[in-house]
Amino acid sequence: MDNLLLMLNHNFLAIGVIIGILLSAVFFAAKISKVKVTSQLEENKRVYKVEGQLFFASVTDFVEAFNFKDEVKTVEIDLSKAHIWDESGVSAIDKIVIKFHENEIKTTIIGLNAASESIVDSIAVFNKPNGINQNIGH
């Protein structure tokens, strides 16, 4: 009987540890999925400054932070305080650049760190020759 109780206690402990790890992962993902986008107008150029982690859990808020109908000629997106982690982050940048292009707003991405630049260079279409024009409407 004592062996059975000891075995049950160990199983409950293992289950508790697994649940704790899963909850920690969920809370961590929720915490880092906050992306802050601020903008300022400089003459006829809108500058967006992005802070945070761009990955599958943060891209919706990221894309919604941009005004694609702005009355400017150019937009600069400063990602020097951001990091792009996955393909969904790159796809969000593509979507933003393409939407601005559709509205005849020239867009420049600046400040990518080395890792983010590497993933953008390998996956993005906005920075490929004729990439924006091939993807309009897709």
Side-chain angles (χ1 to χ4, degrees):
M1 185 69 158
D2 287 339
N3 285 342
L4 180 61
L5 288 175
L6 186 60
M7 190 171 73
L8 286 174
N9 283 340
H10 283 245
N11 286 339
F12 285 131
L13 179 63
I15 291 170
V17 168
I18 291 170
I19 291 172
I21 290 170
L22 291 174
L23 286 174
S24 293
V26 168
F27 292 138
F28 177 73
K31 181 179 179 181
I32 68 166
S33 68
K34 306 285 189 268
V35 174
K36 181 180 176 187
V37 180
T38 57
S39 74
Q40 61 188 42
L41 188 61
E42 296 176 0
E43 295 181 22
N44 200 25
K45 174 174 80 170
R46 172 78 57 192
V47 177
Y48 289 94
K49 295 188 180 201
V50 182
E51 294 181 39
Q53 311 300 316
L54 290 177
F55 65 112
F56 67 92
S58 62
V59 294
T60 302
D61 291 339
F62 174 64
V63 172
E64 290 175 354
F66 293 86
N67 177 6
F68 301 106
K69 303 290 185 185
D70 205 349
E71 297 289 327
V72 295
K73 299 280 186 210
T74 60
V75 163
E76 181 177 274
I77 302 172
D78 183 352
L79 296 169
S80 58
K81 293 185 179 179
H83 186 82
I84 302 164
W85 287 99
D86 61 9
E87 187 173 339
S88 59
V90 177
S91 294
I93 293 172
D94 269 339
K95 179 186 268 188
I96 289 166
V97 173
I98 290 167
K99 281 188 176 187
F100 277 128
H101 180 78
E102 289 171 347
N103 292 313
E104 299 179 5
I105 299 173
K106 182 181 182 298
T107 308
T108 306
I109 305 292
I110 64 165
L112 288 170
N113 62 37
S116 297
E117 186 172 3
S118 176
I119 194 169
V120 167
D121 285 346
S122 64
I123 298 173
V125 295
F126 77 88
N127 57 352
K128 306 293 188 282
N130 209 24
I132 291 176
N133 294 326
Q134 292 175 357
N135 286 286
I136 290 180
H138 290 255

